[in-house]
């Protein structure tokens, strides 16, 4: 739904400069002012507390964002949720998005610039999904692309520092973390989205209704939501933090099945050590230094429940669980595995690349058990069409029973996805862009 009387974004006439004199504002953050303040956040680039660029005059920001006093959830929804498509079967007690038939709402004349991470082989201008979204929404998007990883983050920081901001950014999992998004939002780099969502995003609101803790979880400390979360309520996401894998080729070679207990594990390691079919230079159980705690947490789950942050809830309080005798028992067991040769000392020094080289050995993975959130952790060339690929040779290892019969796996109850989509003050029509995001949450 488009409102022809709704103001569009322009810039605030002025804001204080770094030297105390007037600094002209054109809806951009000056490169000099930006860089002079970038050191203040300890590595994150932070802009000056400048006045947020507004939409068609002094009162435009209040119209679009509701201002500082806006209470999330207080505005009336102005867009109806789309009707469900008939004939689609959902599991019993299903909670989540449903297939809906949406009508185009974009005016087709505004060319929005959207920053996104992408792979070298993917052209977002011609990609099937990109063209489908444009067809279904009527919103025309031109993509500014950056590579994934640190290279992408460096490029985004350079774009931001230049003052030439795109209209929106899909910041993914590794461009901005939640703290940076909060800081940048408070500094005016991203606009608050609460009122925009409450009035124009029925599918995002439906997502928040389905997962009641989600909105608060991603709200910044100042009470505002500066980014739309990318929703992914998947089994993999909630269970993979301690996922550990076992070499099926080696198991077949010794004629054994996956261990069900730590006692079985020790016996399998002895058999693996004696197995002559393994590649030269193989180790028993390993990972890289950055993920060794996740591997340890997997095995500690055989002694007690081990949350990701090493804390647990006891009634209404949180407690550090290291004093628990079961935790001490588990740590002693881990030390014993190093002494027995079951745990590779390389765990303390392997880089991610060194770990992947072990997984990508010419003769197959050079380890019997290894940690991996996914196969990419231990293989840079995972190929699910190749039966000799580490992606198929290594299979997930179920939690094992400890000496006291404890058998637990870490589960992230609050893993809904990640903050992904922000809108900048440069945007000529935030309503269209929030609805564009809302379509993709449907």
């Amino acid at each position: 739904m488009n409102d022809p009387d709704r103001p569009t974004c322009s810039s605030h006439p002025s804001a204080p400069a770094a030297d105390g004199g007037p600094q002209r504002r054109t809806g951009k953050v000056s490169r000099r002012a930006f860089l002079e303040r970038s050191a203040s956040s300890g590595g994150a680039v932070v802009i000056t507390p400048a006045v947020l660029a507004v939409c068609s005059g002094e009162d435009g920001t209040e119209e679009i964002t509701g201002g500082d006093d806006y209470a999330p959830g207080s505005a009336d929804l102005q867009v109806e949720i789309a009707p469900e498509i008939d004939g689609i079967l959902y599991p019993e007690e299903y909670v989540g998005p449903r297939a809906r038939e949406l009508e185009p709402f974009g005016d087709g004349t505004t060319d929005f610039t959207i920053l996104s991470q992408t792979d070298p082989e993917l052209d977002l201008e011609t990609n099937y999904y990109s063209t489908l979204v444009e067809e279904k929404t009527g919103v025309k998007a031109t993509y500014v692309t950056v590579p994934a990883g640190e290279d992408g983050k460096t490029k985004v920081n350079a774009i931001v520092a230049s003052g030439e901001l795109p209209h929106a950014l899909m910041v993914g999992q590794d461009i901005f973390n939640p703290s940076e998004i909060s800081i940048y939002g408070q500094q005016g780099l991203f606009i608050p989205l609460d009122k925009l969502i409450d009035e124009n995003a029925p599918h995002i609101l439906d997502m928040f209704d389905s997962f009641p803790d989600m909105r608060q979880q991603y709200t910044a400390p100042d009470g505002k939501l500066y980014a739309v979360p990318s929703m992914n309520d998947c089994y993999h996401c909630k269970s993979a933090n301690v996922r550990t894998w076992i070499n099926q080729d080696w198991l077949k070679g010794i004629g054994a099945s996956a261990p069900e207990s730590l006692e079985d594990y020790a016996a399998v390691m002895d058999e693996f050590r004696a197995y002559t079919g393994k590649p030269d230079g193989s180790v028993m159980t390993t990972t890289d230094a950055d993920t060794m705690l996740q591997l340890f947490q997997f095995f500690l789950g055989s002694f007690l429940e081990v949350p990701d942050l090493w804390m647990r809830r006891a009634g209404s309080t949180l407690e550090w669980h290291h004093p628990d005798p079961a935790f001490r028992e588990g740590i002693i067991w881990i030390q014993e595995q190093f002494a027995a040769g079951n745990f590779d000392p390389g765990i303390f020094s392997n880089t991610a690349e060194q770990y992947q080289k072990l997984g990508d050995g010419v003769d197959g993975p050079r380890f019997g058990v290894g940690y991996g959130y996914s196969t990419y952790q231990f293989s840079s060339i995972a190929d699910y069409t190749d039966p000799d690929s580490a992606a198929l040779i290594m299979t997930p290892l179920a939690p094992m029973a400890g000496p006291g019969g404890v058998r637990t796996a870490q589960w992230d109850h609050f893993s809904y996805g990640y903050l992904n989509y922000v809108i900048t003050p440069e945007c000529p029509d935030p309503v269209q862009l929030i609805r564009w995001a809302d379509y993709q949450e449907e």
Side-chain angles (χ1 to χ4, degrees), residues 3-9 55-57 59-61 63-64 428-431:
D3 182 355
D5 297 323
R6 185 177 294 279
T8 55
C9 290
C55 300
S56 293
D59 297 328
T61 299
E63 177 76 20
I64 294 295
D429 189 346
V431 171

Side-chain angles (χ1 to χ4, degrees), residues 10 50 82 84 115 139 176 231 242 264 278 298 354 373 399 436:
S10 61
E84 288 189 34
L115 184 142
V139 175
F176 296 135
M231 180 66 185
V242 296
D264 293 343
K278 64 181 181 291
F298 171 80
Q354 288 171 327
Y373 187 93
W436 186 80

Side-chain angles (χ1 to χ4, degrees), residues 154-188:
T154 300
K155 186 171 182 180
V156 171
N157 280 337
I159 291 171
V160 170
S162 74
E164 298 296 328
L165 297 177
H167 298 144
L169 298 86
M170 291 188 284
V171 294
Q173 300 184 67
D174 55 4
I175 294 297
F176 296 135
N177 62 41
S179 295
E180 290 169 330
I181 289 173
S182 173
I183 292 170
Y184 294 157
Q186 292 177 67
Q187 299 296 329

Side-chain angles (χ1 to χ4, degrees), residues 98-118:
R98 295 177 179 268
R100 300 179 183 277
E101 190 60 52
L102 283 79
E103 296 293 331
F105 53 84
D107 59 28
T109 61
T110 305
D111 189 0
F112 293 97
T113 55
I114 312 289
L115 184 142
S116 177
Q117 299 176 88
T118 188

